[in-house]
Amino acid sequence: MSTQHSELRVGMVGYAFMGAAHSQAWRTVNRVYDLPARARMALICGRDAGKVADAADRLGWDAYTTDWRDVVTSDQIDVVDVCTPGDSHAEIALAALAAGKHVLCEKPLANTVDEARAMAAAAATAQAAGVRSMCGFNYRRVPAVTMMRQLIADGRLGVIRHVRAAYLQDWIVDPQFPLVWRLQKDRAGSGALGDIGAHIIDLTQYVTGQRITGVSAVTETFVKERPLPAGSSGLAAQADGNGRATGPVTVDDAAVFVARLDGGSLATYEASRFATGRKNALRVEINGSLGSVVFDLERLNELEFYDATRPTAEQGFTRILVTEGEHPYMSAWWPPGHIIGYEHSFTHQMRDFVEAVATGVDPAPSFADALQVQLVLDAVTRSAELGSSWTEVEPALAEVAA
Ligand code: SOE
């Protein structure tokens, strides 16, 4: 006989890539984990009635609406899952928290520090009334990443000296790629920095347990004008050489920065959408006084671990296959060696969120954790704009440079 479960009725706003990834996780989590509450895919919201009706059917939602206010005001909804572009995160999450709904909000938390501060404050107020909130930095829930954090917390790397993180994509290398919302500051807040840079900021702080205290940054927008998407309106337009309407790219295509963390380590970060050939390449390497550990998203079931305490003749990077039942999250899946994928990190995220809400504890990362990431993003943007720590290299003499 199945155990009796209470129900958490979920309302999700947004149905594009993240909406689909979250839907996969909401469909799966009850079947993989025995949780104190069952997540019910009650209501999905999108602005286009035809598309959201199709999404409800395809993704497995009970009902749909075109007004997010229906989601946050319904007394038939317990959880609001925000999967929209960044310019609506604050409005929806603040309304949901005020309505007493538990909130899961996609990363980055907001488009600005002010919005993130308001969201973190509202989450703290709501928390006093038992309302839970979390920001969807899903890569924390890749088993190998959780194991990375455990190795460091157990002292296996000793004192952390270096953090080295890159998140590289190439989906907008073609200058003819249209001016989608992710390339517009008022919609997305920033470009590669906030979209994928936020992930490596959160992930490195999570695995090291340290916080970034200062940065020195450069950013670049390589392609400054792009064709307007079909059917776009309200975008400042001019015509390119072929008479096609174009608009300005108002965000970074790439951000590179060095940082200090409060545990004394030095860090380098690179977030780019112009790393030709790199599709979704996230790599983090942590060097410590007793060893090093490397995570590569393209090999997400593995960790490379260098244990400098082993006999010299036996030292080398070993490949740990993170698929044993004792590894984080893995007991719910398949026997050892039967690897999992990107989408499983979202199922783990929903597991932890549902368990936290059902047992009355605060899930992590909190909105306060996500605010701290937003503050780092803001510092990177300000550093790049100021160029304060930038020292020009004196050009070599013409005859020498030739
Ligand atoms: C686009 O860069 C994107 O979908 C990000 O928004 C996600 O957070 C990342 O996991 C995959 O790439």
Side-chain angles (χ1 to χ4, degrees):
M1 183 178 108
S2 69
T3 48
Q4 186 59 34
H5 287 86
S6 63
E7 201 172 60
L8 278 177
R9 297 157 299 181
V10 181
M12 184 175 77
V13 187
Y15 54 80
F17 178 1
M18 283 301 119
H22 284 219
S23 298
Q24 156 95 359
W26 288 122
R27 283 195 307 273
T28 308
V29 69
N30 297 316
R31 294 179 174 82
V32 175
Y33 292 101
D34 185 13
L35 293 169
R38 297 186 68 83
R40 181 178 185 87
M41 300 170 71
L43 185 62
I44 186 172
C45 175
R47 283 172 299 188
D48 182 296
K51 289 179 180 176
V52 73
D54 171 63
D57 177 55
R58 183 166 39 85
L59 299 176
W61 292 83
D62 296 343
Y64 64 89
T65 179
T66 57
D67 185 347
W68 64 264
R69 293 166 188 80
D70 294 343
V71 181
V72 302
T73 57
S74 167
D75 59 6
Q76 300 300 309
I77 294 294
D78 307 301
V79 171
V80 175
D81 184 4
V82 184
C83 292
T84 57
D87 62 338
S88 56
H89 285 190
E91 184 180 24
I92 298 170
L94 289 173
L97 290 167
K101 310 301 184 187
H102 307 293
V103 177
L104 170 60
C105 184
E106 259 297 319
K107 44 52 62 185
L109 186 65
N111 279 0
T112 67
V113 167
D114 286 348
E115 286 177 343
R117 280 205 172 97
M119 295 167 79
T125 302
Q127 187 261 0
V131 174
R132 311 296 167 189
S133 47
M134 183 167 96
C135 188
F137 285 106
N138 60 295
Y139 292 124
R140 288 182 172 215
R141 269 104 183 170
V142 173
V145 171
T146 305
M147 183 174 176
M148 198 180 208
R149 175 183 168 91
Q150 287 171 349
L151 284 171
I152 293 169
D154 292 347
R156 300 295 303 277
L157 269 62
V159 177
I160 304 303
R161 305 291 191 208
H162 285 293
V163 171
R164 196 167 299 106
Y167 196 164
L168 308 175
Q169 297 178 342
D170 70 354
W171 55 281
I172 57 171
V173 164
D174 179 354
Q176 293 309 308
F177 188 94
L179 192 69
V180 296
W181 70 264
R182 285 192 187 283
L183 307 182
Q184 304 165 35
K185 183 176 177 63
D186 61 335
R187 299 293 315 280
S190 61
L193 175 62
D195 182 22
I196 50 182
H199 272 303
I200 50 178
I201 291 167
D202 176 72
L203 192 155
T204 51
Q205 294 188 134
Y206 171 66
V207 300
T208 62
Q210 299 186 24
R211 289 272 167 106
I212 293 170
T213 57
V215 297
S216 179
V218 288
T219 59
E220 186 53 68
T221 303
F222 297 109
V223 174
K224 296 177 173 26
E225 280 285 322
R226 289 184 178 269
L228 297 188
S232 60
S233 60
L235 287 170
Q238 57 186 19
D240 66 9
N242 304 316
R244 284 182 63 183
T246 65
V249 175
T250 50
V251 297
D252 58 281
D253 290 330
V256 178
F257 58 100
V258 295
R260 287 185 183 279
L261 280 76
D262 59 10
S265 48
L266 287 183
T268 57
Y269 292 86
E270 184 182 8
S272 179
R273 291 167 167 164
F274 273 72
T276 307
R278 299 298 181 190
K279 301 307 173 184
N280 194 44
L282 188 164
R283 184 181 188 277
V284 172
E285 177 167 330
I286 310 289
N287 305 134
S289 58
L290 300 180
S292 293
V293 63
V294 182
F295 171 72
D296 182 337
L297 181 61
E298 293 179 353
R299 301 171 63 177
L300 73 79
N301 290 276
E302 303 172 15
L303 271 187
E304 288 180 69
F305 177 43
Y306 187 99
D307 181 351
T309 67
R310 295 192 58 74
T312 305
E314 297 172 15
Q315 287 185 11
F317 276 94
T318 55
R319 180 177 74 97
I320 302 172
L321 189 58
V322 188
T323 59
E324 298 296 325
E326 65 191 84
H327 285 134
Y329 302 104
M330 291 309 292
S331 59
W333 297 106
W334 323 120
H338 296 68
I339 57 176
I340 62 172
Y342 165 79
E343 76 274 13
H344 295 79
S345 68
F346 291 93
T347 303
H348 302 159
Q349 178 173 266
M350 297 335 179
R351 171 206 177 278
D352 292 345
F353 183 77
V354 168
E355 184 155 86
V357 169
T359 56
V361 300
D362 292 318
S366 66
F367 278 16
D369 295 325
L371 165 60
Q372 197 272 339
V373 172
Q374 207 80 41
L375 289 164
V376 175
L377 296 173
D378 181 62
V380 169
T381 301
R382 286 185 288 114
S383 172
E385 286 167 352
L386 287 173
S388 52
S389 62
W390 190 253
T391 302
E392 294 292 339
V393 176
E394 186 181 342
L397 296 174
E399 57 277 15
V400 171

